[in-house]
Amino acid sequence: MAYADISIASVPDERRDAYRAFCEKAGSYILSLGALEVADYWGDDIPDGEVTSLPMAVKAAPGETVVASRILWPDKATRDAGWEKMMSGGGEGMGDMPFDGRRMIFGGFTELVTVSA
């Protein structure tokens, strides 16, 4: 059963190109660990909230944009093995994050329903 890692972060607007380069390098590296697909998204319609919101969740500052990433794995076992390799190597195949990783939120999800065209 498919497994996904989802993350949300906040990137300074002036680091958009650096973020794109990071995503390309990290994505290739993660695919080499067994992922099926890596997708990264630059937010352009992220509303502020009064009680909760994506910008609040990552403590986005003025001049920062909320970004989202999805890593699709064939199953949780492949994901766990991939993450173990990534962490044992210090993530060196990914390069330096052009954002404050302490404000990133992330988690792993078991596929429940997929509807496709």
Side-chain angles (χ1 to χ4, degrees):
M1 181 177 298
Y3 196 83
D5 283 307
I6 308 290
S7 64
I8 308 291
S10 182
V11 177
D13 294 338
E14 69 271 6
R15 308 270 348 249
R16 182 179 175 144
D17 290 341
Y19 180 68
R20 176 188 292 274
F22 167 78
C23 291
E24 290 170 354
K25 182 175 183 179
S28 293
Y29 175 66
I30 292 166
L31 288 174
S32 78
L33 298 175
L36 300 173
E37 184 177 68
V38 179
D40 296 285
Y41 306 91
W42 187 266
D44 68 1
D45 186 13
I46 311 292
D48 289 324
E50 292 184 23
V51 177
T52 189
S53 69
L54 291 172
M56 293 168 88
V58 295
K59 299 184 183 206
E64 292 183 339
T65 295
V66 175
V67 297
S69 297
R70 177 183 51 82
I71 305 169
L72 183 63
W73 302 90
D75 51 52
K76 189 172 188 307
T78 304
R79 179 263 199 169
D80 290 348
W83 274 100
E84 184 176 329
K85 288 178 189 174
M86 193 180 335
M87 293 299 109
S88 68
E92 61 194 36
M94 295 177 52
D96 294 327
M97 292 188 302
F99 57 91
D100 183 354
R102 297 171 299 175
R103 294 187 284 141
M104 181 170 63
I105 58 174
F106 55 89
F109 298 83
T110 300
E111 182 178 23
L112 183 60
V113 175
T114 297
V115 179
S116 300

